[in-house]
Amino acid sequence: MFDAVFSAPDCRLHGRSCLMLARHTDGKHARLGVIVAKKNIPLAVQRNRFKRIAREVFRRSPVEGLDVIVLAKQNKKKLQSSVLSKELNDLFFRLEGEQRP
């Protein structure tokens, strides 16, 4: 489903704790894929928290007509939920700004 996003992303945004890939689609709705490797975030609780925050921020974002993949980067320190939420929110708004013609 998201192979096209990996093979040829239209947009690539880097954050401190994640990488965001996006590709335009014909549909009106946006779709989200979240990838959190055990190697990057070893504890299941932290992986699930990352995914939960990413889904919630995506749900509230104004992004439309895109397939988006969020990949977690390796973090040595545990990120606070508020910091992660703010970073993802900033990335989604940057993505929304880049999708306009």
Side-chain angles (χ1 to χ4, degrees):
M1 180 162 109
F2 288 102
D3 291 336
V5 181
F6 278 117
S7 63
D10 293 334
C11 183
R12 184 182 301 242
L13 297 174
H14 294 273
R16 188 171 157 215
S17 62
C18 63
L19 167 68
M20 190 175 291
L21 305 172
R23 183 174 171 97
H24 294 283
T25 62
D26 296 335
K28 181 180 177 186
H29 300 288
R31 296 184 296 181
L32 175 68
V34 182
I35 300 173
V36 185
K38 190 185 241 186
K39 179 175 87 175
N40 293 340
I41 301 177
L43 296 177
V45 172
Q46 293 175 359
R47 287 194 305 273
N48 291 334
R49 183 174 55 90
F50 184 95
K51 291 186 271 189
R52 187 172 53 250
I53 291 170
R55 286 191 300 263
E56 180 63 22
V57 171
F58 177 76
R59 186 181 68 81
R60 294 178 183 212
S61 73
V63 176
E64 291 181 356
L66 292 175
D67 285 343
V68 180
I69 297 177
V70 177
L71 295 142
K73 290 183 180 178
Q74 189 169 15
N75 288 319
K76 300 294 182 194
K77 295 186 259 181
K78 180 184 172 191
L79 283 175
Q80 294 179 353
S81 298
S82 60
V83 173
L84 180 61
S85 178
K86 183 181 181 327
E87 179 184 341
L88 286 168
N89 199 22
D90 292 344
L91 287 174
F92 277 116
F93 275 108
R94 280 177 44 199
L95 181 65
E96 194 269 331
E98 289 188 16
Q99 79 177 5
R100 293 184 182 182

